[in-house]
Amino acid sequence: MLRKRIEEGILLGDGAIGTLLHSHGLQSCLEELNLEQPERIIDIHRQYREAGAEVIQTHTYGANEGKLRAYGLEEQVVAINRAAVRNARVGAEGAYILGTIGGVKHTGAMITTEAEREFMLLEQAYALLEEGVDGLILETFYDEKELIRALRILRSRTDIPIITQVALHEAGLTQTGRYIEDVFAELFQSGADVAGLNCRLGPLHMIESLTYVPLPQKGHLSAYPNAGLPKYVDGTYVYEGTPEYFKDMVNQFANQGVKLIGGCCGTTPAHIRAMKEALQQAPVLRKEVERRNIITIAEARSRQTGNSLAEKAKEERTIIVELDPPKTLDTSRFFEGAKALKRAGADAITLADNSLASPRISNMALGAMLMRQNIPVLTHLTCRDHNLIGLQSHLLGLASLGMNEVLALTGDPARVGDFPGATSVYDVSSFELISMMKQMNQGKSPLGKSIGDATSFSVAAAFNPNVRHIDAAVKRMEKKIAAGADYFLTQPVYDVETLLRTYEATRHVKVPIFIGIMPLVSKRNADFLHYEVPGITLPENIRQRMDCQPQQAIQEGLAISKELLAAAVTMFHGIYLITPFLRYELTEELVQYAKIQQEANV
């Protein structure tokens, strides 16, 4: 029995399979190899067993429906997981076999609901259990809430041992900023037999994390470190943590009370063999636990002058105007427009972040220049162009410049823009970006680390009323509010009926909504927006009205916008005007018209 064996002494686990296969040049769905090339997987298990591993994990880290779907293998979940258990049994005869289940919700993963994650978890777990694993290992969970939920779901359905392992970005702290010793305590309370760490960190920082963790009264600790941080060489990730280094470090893990020790990314059978040679067999019975220096987060130091746009829109009608940053270094017309719009009465200029995935001058740079001219700005920030590192850096930059109004967007995919071969990052979604900014407003980074002074972001989010089922769009809006959104900007609206429908559907919403209105300039412009731009729909009668001579079309576009403005100001405090093609004279006229309408409706 696995439980009895781990009570008796320290167990040695295996090392990486995925990075080992990658080092052999394999790049396809690695879990499919359990069916297509079982002899290759069996051989790796055999190598780890011969190196001294007593505990072998199945090659099923990504063998859930969601991840396999990317390869068209979603119907093969059960077959792949069951084959993986058989391969482990054949390759590692006499070893304890753990059914491996990886985290789904971690950074960079697909966006899933709790119900979807539960389905994927149970489908995979049942396949592993039916094939007779000795235990389950839930590993590489960056989100400890997902891990705890998965543990509770499985513990209610099986009595076999469950090992739970968190992946950390920062030594001792989870992605949400919790101390690892507190997470371990909750895992044990929720039924984990073993709680530990794996992936991301090398031995040194993983040991540092464990120094704050007391020996558990019930349950055991585990550690599966990476072979250090990887470097990228000729298209391949190379790990430099040698077997000799792991041999030197293994007993430091044992001295921290770890009872199950293995390796993660970059480790090989040679690493396990080296640890086997040096590992002491007697577990420690007591340890000195390091005391933490608790960090006090500073109170927010506001860099805003006056109220935020959200606060202002709660009290009075507020107008913001979008002015796209230029695609070239000729910025003269842009700054002319910004000044004219401010004179006309715009409360802020809002700057898109490479809209439609086409590169433009940095909106942070232009925003800072506008701020120096006392023109308030609202900058857009997309998840498409920035990984988590870039997002945090960008937000810190905005905060340091006093640019506290930010619209959080997922962003149009790169394939729609000027460089269709470019990579869309999407480490996080707009929901997570909103939460990230709110966490920075508490003085903490996404990893829970202090950033010194807290930021003062007022967070805007996007809302699309041009949908068939407005209720579904409102539910999405409510989720963004729950994440921390302070106000909303809508996609452009082109008929009064949609305005009324939006007003009725959002009357219960307490945060301000800025209704988007963008003047049309031609029939071609109208058709492009309707047929080719995601999230924008134009009624047939509007497109017919724009079917006229060029100069007349401009006036007709303004007339349509004024009709919408006249209706919008009676229902919403926020107006969001979008300038087409830097033709700021059009939105300047609309700002002036909106001011007249506001005064008429006071």
Side-chain angles (χ1 to χ4, degrees):
M1 288 283 291
L2 178 57
R3 282 196 180 96
K4 182 179 180 182
R5 173 65 185 85
I6 202 168
E7 286 285 350
E8 294 172 349
I10 299 172
L11 273 169
L12 192 63
D14 54 3
I17 294 182
T19 53
L20 198 57
L21 291 168
H22 278 304
S23 71
H24 296 162
L26 295 168
Q27 298 295 330
S28 62
C29 177
L30 299 182
E31 285 79 9
E32 187 184 16
L33 297 177
N34 284 300
L35 294 174
E36 298 299 318
Q37 298 182 40
E39 66 285 349
R40 187 187 289 270
I41 305 303
I42 289 170
D43 182 59
I44 291 174
H45 289 318
R46 183 178 292 118
Q47 290 180 51
Y48 278 121
R49 180 66 174 137
E50 291 173 352
E54 291 183 69
V55 177
I56 298 292
Q57 294 183 226
T58 58
H59 178 45
T60 53
Y61 169 72
N64 59 66
E65 189 267 344
K67 291 181 179 178
L68 292 178
R69 190 190 310 138
Y71 301 95
L73 297 170
E74 62 270 24
E75 301 297 328
Q76 297 294 310
V77 173
V78 173
I80 288 173
N81 280 276
R82 296 193 72 152
V85 179
R86 294 193 294 270
N87 293 339
R89 290 272 182 226
V90 172
E93 186 176 355
Y96 297 102
I97 306 300
L98 297 179
T100 302
I101 297 174
V104 172
K105 194 185 173 185
H106 65 78
T107 301
M110 58 198 162
I111 306 302
T112 57
T113 65
E114 283 193 355
E116 289 169 334
R117 290 194 292 276
E118 182 171 345
F119 167 80
M120 289 188 282
L121 173 73
L122 290 175
E123 183 182 31
Q124 186 178 8
Y126 282 145
L128 295 166
L129 292 170
E130 287 166 1
E131 202 61 40
V133 292
D134 299 301
L136 294 172
I137 180 166
L138 308 178
E139 67 162 21
T140 323
F141 280 72
Y142 284 91
D143 188 323
E144 76 275 7
K145 294 178 183 177
E146 182 195 7
L147 176 58
I148 292 165
R149 177 175 167 78
L151 168 63
R152 289 172 177 168
I153 289 169
L154 294 177
R155 179 49 76 213
S156 68
R157 289 165 171 81
T158 180
D159 292 327
I160 70 170
I162 300 178
I163 292 89
T164 56
Q165 294 192 144
V166 182
L168 304 179
H169 285 291
E170 183 91 9
L173 287 172
T174 69
Q175 182 174 282
T176 61
R178 291 184 65 190
Y179 293 129
I180 193 61
E181 59 269 27
D182 297 332
V183 175
F184 283 2
E186 189 170 357
L187 286 168
F188 288 128
Q189 187 178 25
S190 299
D193 293 87
V194 178
L197 305 173
N198 83 289
C199 206
R200 183 64 176 84
L201 302 180
L204 190 66
H205 288 114
M206 199 167 280
I207 289 168
E208 179 188 337
S209 301
L210 292 167
T211 60
Y212 300 102
V213 179
L215 294 178
Q217 298 296 312
K218 181 181 180 182
H220 308 282
L221 301 177
S222 65
Y224 280 62
N226 280 0
L229 296 173
K231 65 179 181 179
Y232 197 61
V233 180
D234 296 330
T236 303
Y237 288 104
V238 177
Y239 293 82
E240 295 188 335
T242 64
E244 290 72 24
Y245 178 55
F246 271 59
K247 185 176 184 177
D248 292 339
M249 301 296 284
V250 64
N251 284 319
Q252 293 190 46
F253 281 105
N255 291 337
Q256 292 302 324
V258 174
K259 298 284 290 291
L260 174 60
I261 307 174
C264 204
C265 299
T267 57
T268 67
H271 291 78
I272 303 306
R273 183 174 291 106
M275 289 197 291
K276 175 70 173 177
E277 291 173 1
L279 182 62
Q280 65 188 39
Q281 293 303 306
V284 298
L285 300 178
R286 63 177 58 185
K287 65 178 279 193
E288 290 290 327
V289 179
E290 291 285 334
R291 305 184 80 177
R292 288 192 181 275
N293 293 320
I294 305 300
I295 299 170
T296 302
I297 304 299
E299 290 294 324
R301 185 177 65 188
S302 176
R303 300 177 177 87
Q304 296 178 177
T305 54
N307 289 341
S308 69
L309 290 172
E311 292 167 341
K312 186 170 185 178
K314 288 177 182 177
E315 302 296 329
E316 59 186 272
R317 290 185 176 87
T318 306
I319 303 172
I320 59 176
V321 185
E322 183 170 319
L323 197 63
D324 258 351
K327 293 184 177 182
T328 73
L329 290 175
D330 183 359
T331 60
S332 56
R333 184 163 177 79
F334 172 84
F335 286 107
E336 286 172 8
K339 292 173 184 175
L341 290 164
K342 183 187 178 186
R343 286 195 302 268
D347 293 287
I349 302 298
T350 179
L351 306 171
D353 186 13
N354 299 326
S355 56
L356 292 179
S358 296
R360 297 173 180 272
I361 295 177
S362 160
N363 63 357
M364 183 194 286
L366 291 181
M369 295 168 76
L370 290 176
M371 294 279 285
R372 285 201 292 268
Q373 298 178 41
N374 295 316
I375 299 176
V377 296
L378 160 60
T379 52
H380 301 195
L381 180 57
T382 71
C383 303
R384 176 197 59 232
D385 298 339
H386 312 269
N387 62 14
L388 257 178
I389 301 166
L391 284 172
Q392 181 174 334
S393 174
H394 197 90
L395 288 168
L396 290 171
L398 289 172
S400 67
L401 292 167
M403 297 164 65
N404 297 310
E405 302 281 352
V406 182
L407 172 62
L409 297 167
T410 299
D412 304 309
R415 66 176 178 271
V416 309
D418 294 350
F419 297 96
T423 301
S424 296
V425 182
Y426 299 133
D427 268 4
V428 295
S429 69
S430 58
F431 293 90
E432 293 158 312
L433 178 55
I434 292 166
S435 297
M436 181 175 172
M437 283 189 273
K438 287 300 182 175
Q439 188 164 342
M440 292 177 76
N441 281 355
Q442 298 172 6
K444 296 186 289 185
S445 78
L447 303 178
K449 190 175 181 180
S450 171
I451 58 171
D453 290 335
T455 58
S456 302
F457 290 122
S458 178
V459 183
F463 173 67
N464 185 11
N466 303 306
V467 292
R468 183 175 299 176
H469 303 291
I470 190 75
D471 291 345
V474 172
K475 286 181 180 177
R476 185 175 174 84
M477 170 188 272
E478 290 167 346
K479 289 181 180 178
K480 290 184 179 181
I481 293 171
D486 297 302
Y487 59 110
F488 287 84
L489 276 59
T490 80
Q491 291 279 20
V493 174
Y494 284 98
D495 65 286
V496 174
E497 182 181 339
T498 299
L499 282 175
L500 290 167
R501 188 171 61 129
T502 303
Y503 175 70
E504 292 297 332
T506 61
R507 290 182 69 172
H508 65 288
V509 174
K510 303 302 182 184
V511 302
I513 297 171
F514 285 73
I515 289 293
I517 296 174
M518 180 167 67
L520 300 167
V521 297
S522 67
K523 176 67 162 58
R524 181 182 178 186
N525 172 222
D527 287 344
F528 173 75
L529 291 172
H530 180 73
Y531 291 111
E532 299 192 36
V533 177
I536 299 180
T537 304
L538 276 67
E540 177 65 26
N541 70 305
I542 295 296
R543 285 183 284 129
Q544 287 177 355
R545 286 176 64 178
M546 293 302 299
D547 191 4
C548 52
Q549 293 300 314
Q551 194 56 41
Q552 184 183 348
I554 292 173
Q555 294 306 312
E556 192 64 34
L558 280 170
I560 292 167
S561 295
K562 288 177 179 179
E563 291 166 12
L564 293 165
L565 270 173
V569 296
T570 66
M571 293 178 270
F572 299 93
H573 273 195
I575 299 297
Y576 164 40
L577 299 174
I578 304 160
T579 306
F581 314 114
L582 274 180
R583 300 177 75 163
Y584 67 83
E585 297 90 352
L586 302 178
T587 42
E588 181 184 12
E589 182 174 337
L590 292 175
V591 171
Q592 294 167 344
Y593 181 81
K595 290 289 185 181
I596 293 171
Q597 292 300 310
Q598 288 175 3
E599 291 170 5
N601 285 278
V602 171

